[in-house]
Amino acid sequence: PGPAAARRGRWALPAALVRRGGLVGGRWVETPAAFPVQDPASGEELGRVADCGAAEARAAVRAAHEAGAAWGRLPAKERSVRLRRWYELMMENKDELARIITAENGKPLKEAQGEILYSASFLEWFAEEARRVYGDVIPASAKDRRILVLKQPVGVAAIITPWNFPSAMITRKVGAALAAGCTVVVKPAEDTPFSALALGELANQAGIPAGVYNVVPCSRQQTPAVGEVLCTDPLVAKISFTGSTATGKILLKHAADTVKRVSMELGGHAPFIVFDSANVDRAVAGALASKYRNSGQTCVCTNRFLVQKGIHDKFVEKFAKAIERELHVGSGFDAKTTQGPLINEKAVEKVERHINDAVSQGASVVTGGKRHSLGKNFFEPTLLSNVTTKMLCTQEETFGPLAPVIKFETEAEAIAIANAANVGLAGYFYSQDPAQIWRVAEQLEVGMVGVNEGIVSSVESPFGGVKQSGLGREGSKYGIDEYLEIKYVCFGGL
């Protein structure tokens, strides 16, 4: 076989988990049109998937609504058992699921395997949380009545997810929804629908009843119509969206007419502050992990580095050496690759635009700075110094392998720069001064803070942001509350 066939052999999708239709009411649904899904590393077509439209979206909402009463009334222990079985099937198929992610998303296989473990952990966690949805008995002000508080599922949840974590962004929402007794309609990103459909295949195998987990994949052209149905249909009670702030605002407007519950996990612009007191080697290791995971395509990736003048030069020098020594660009299926392709050429163009803008205003390229010779979606891991807050890369989220470094003098200056953004998802800082750690952790206007740590996500921790980074929290004991209504029952005449 030629090189193309050999490449195909490596990313051949695991046949047992590949589904090309939508999943509506427990059945695989074909549509007249299908849209192509491409491998971002080679540009080759992985396969075509049913292009669902408004009609399929409405059918999925109806199926979810019809399945909702029985699922919501199941004892929590039974919902827990089904979710636990779904988790076990994910673990049994973890290598195949990871291969699907690397094929359609491009991230290195080792990162994809990490995502599947993370993804499955949400089903495990919420299987356990399903049995811990506690109400209250409140002391009443009158002796002939009792006050009870019940928690009940909100109803059908529309789940709209991005391409950068095509499995984990689904289970983090769906695990909580199903544990609470809700049913869901998932609209995966058009770049990465195979992961959502593979989860559907395993949900069916796990005994998740028909209509409880529905998937409506669609092309970019059909996305507005499908999104509108999911945000306006009166049978949908709740919307959970992860994606850009701009799209989140459109969905919020759609949701307003029927006053739906919403969870929004929107754009980030994470600052990474390195103070003079920091352990520079640990800060460099944290910077590398935080910036370049998934080639810089995560919403909690560092977007701007703020380094105090006393250690600035030393940090930049060590960071550049670490980038050159430890990062390897290539296909996600090559064992030594740490940096896969960006998702598409538009993403590459944005990185280029940010670099050109910075250099035109006086920034210096320390390492990297251009497209990689491997192909149109590959970009060199890049480090810029002499960066100012007037440059695009410090005002917009790059979503690519670009690390701009701003030099600062005082703690107050660093906090002011960090908090100047209108978003606040994650923030990181390195310091060995305990008083400074308390001050900065409390003053950073973000939903999640990493202190001497560059990776903060875990199933036990509440994930979410403040300002225009969103509403609500995912994961943790707080995540299930997003799918529950509180009902007060006044029991009188006693």
Side-chain angles (χ1 to χ4, degrees):
R7 257 208 316 277
R8 251 199 312 278
R10 281 188 302 174
W11 59 237
L13 294 170
L17 291 181
V18 173
R19 291 291 171 268
R20 300 176 194 280
L23 179 58
V24 177
R27 293 199 324 275
W28 296 104
V29 175
E30 295 302 328
T31 53
F35 66 97
V37 180
Q38 284 163 335
D39 166 15
S42 66
E44 289 178 53
E45 192 175 296
L46 293 166
R48 297 176 88 79
V49 171
D51 195 1
C52 295
E56 288 78 17
R58 274 193 291 272
V61 169
R62 271 199 309 279
H65 179 69
E66 285 161 11
W71 179 251
R73 279 200 300 266
L74 268 186
K77 185 176 181 189
E78 283 190 40
R79 290 199 301 272
S80 174
V81 166
R82 311 277 175 99
L83 280 169
R84 177 87 202 177
R85 183 64 194 129
W86 196 8
Y87 156 75
E88 288 164 354
L89 286 168
M90 279 194 77
M91 295 305 286
E92 286 166 27
N93 291 276
K94 61 183 191 291
D95 293 336
E96 290 78 9
L97 291 167
R99 272 173 45 215
I100 291 174
I101 291 178
T102 296
E104 64 181 354
N105 164 285
K107 68 175 64 173
L109 192 55
K110 196 170 169 199
E111 275 190 36
Q113 288 161 342
E115 179 181 341
I116 291 301
L117 297 179
Y118 180 55
S119 177
S121 74
F122 286 107
L123 297 182
E124 179 187 39
W125 174 265
F126 285 114
E128 294 161 355
E129 287 297 292
R131 301 178 68 185
R132 300 181 193 9
V133 176
Y134 301 133
D136 277 308
V137 179
I138 297 173
S141 52
K143 60 181 181 227
D144 66 343
R145 61 174 61 174
R146 299 293 179 268
I147 295 173
L148 309 177
V149 174
L150 312 179
K151 290 185 181 177
Q152 296 181 314
V154 298
V156 176
I159 307 288
I160 303 172
T161 57
W163 50 263
N164 59 340
F165 289 89
S167 184
M169 294 302 93
I170 293 174
T171 58
R172 189 159 76 187
K173 299 171 188 300
V174 169
L178 268 54
C182 298
T183 55
V184 299
V185 179
V186 177
K187 191 209 91 60
E190 64 275 0
D191 299 288
T192 55
F194 284 119
S195 291
L197 296 167
L199 287 173
E201 172 58 30
L202 294 178
N204 286 350
Q205 292 179 26
I208 303 288
V212 171
Y213 177 86
N214 304 275
V215 187
V216 283
C218 65
S219 63
R220 195 168 265 116
Q221 291 71 29
Q222 289 283 16
T223 290
V226 169
E228 191 170 339
V229 168
L230 296 182
C231 294
T232 59
D233 192 306
L235 295 179
V236 174
K238 155 92 193 182
I239 299 163
S240 180
F241 169 72
T242 296
S244 72
T245 299
T247 304
K249 289 175 181 178
I250 294 168
L251 300 186
L252 280 168
K253 283 179 184 153
H254 276 319
D257 276 348
T258 46
V259 195
K260 298 191 191 309
R261 286 273 294 273
V262 291
S263 302
M264 296 273 152
E265 196 259 281
L266 307 176
H269 187 34
F272 187 111
I273 308 170
V274 187
F275 291 104
D276 280 345
S277 73
N279 175 324
V280 176
D281 291 330
R282 286 193 61 181
V284 165
L288 206 64
S290 173
K291 175 69 249 185
Y292 293 106
R293 189 166 60 118
N294 199 15
S295 298
Q297 301 175 110
T298 89
C299 45
V300 291
C301 269
T302 298
N303 208 57
R304 51 217 166 111
F305 289 88
L306 312 176
V307 185
Q308 203 158 8
K309 65 174 185 180
I311 57 161
H312 173 276
D313 294 356
K314 188 169 156 192
F315 175 84
V316 169
E317 184 190 340
K318 287 192 166 194
F319 195 15
K321 283 186 176 143
I323 290 167
E324 288 162 6
R325 181 178 66 243
E326 294 183 34
L327 300 184
H328 304 283
V329 178
S331 157
F333 287 107
D334 289 341
K336 69 175 191 297
T337 293
T338 63
Q339 305 290 286
L342 300 195
I343 191 68
N344 53 37
E345 202 164 8
K346 213 167 92 190
V348 174
E349 286 162 5
K350 186 174 191 184
V351 179
E352 269 183 334
R353 189 165 72 250
H354 280 187
I355 292 170
N356 293 340
D357 169 77
V359 170
S360 75
Q361 295 187 59
S364 316
V365 177
V366 183
T367 186
K370 58 188 188 300
R371 292 187 187 218
H372 197 280
S373 56
L374 268 173
K376 65 178 184 181
N377 292 342
F378 290 92
F379 204 91
E380 296 176 347
T382 301
L383 177 61
L384 297 179
S385 65
N386 301 320
V387 172
T388 70
T389 55
K390 299 218 170 18
M391 297 171 185
L392 267 184
C393 61
T394 62
Q395 294 170 1
E396 296 179 355
E397 190 175 23
T398 305
F399 234 64
L402 168 61
V405 179
I406 299 168
K407 188 191 288 188
F408 72 89
E409 299 206 2
T410 66
E411 180 185 307
E413 182 193 355
I415 288 168
I417 294 170
N419 289 346
N422 62 5
V423 291
L425 192 55
Y428 310 89
F429 69 92
Y430 276 69
S431 167
Q432 295 189 99
D433 172 346
Q436 182 176 56
I437 286 171
W438 277 112
R439 284 195 306 270
V440 177
E442 289 179 358
Q443 286 179 67
L444 278 181
E445 293 170 1
V446 295
M448 299 174 280
V449 180
V451 183
N452 298 326
E453 194 55 68
I455 303 277
V456 296
S457 303
S458 74
V459 67
E460 301 84 359
S461 321
F463 191 103
V466 299
K467 300 200 273 194
Q468 292 186 32
S469 279
L471 303 161
R473 293 295 179 269
E474 294 186 332
S476 79
K477 70 174 186 177
Y478 304 102
I480 201 166
D481 292 340
E482 303 286 336
Y483 297 90
L484 293 165
E485 294 284 18
I486 290 176
K487 179 184 279 185
Y488 152 47
V489 179
C490 179
F491 193 161
L494 299 178

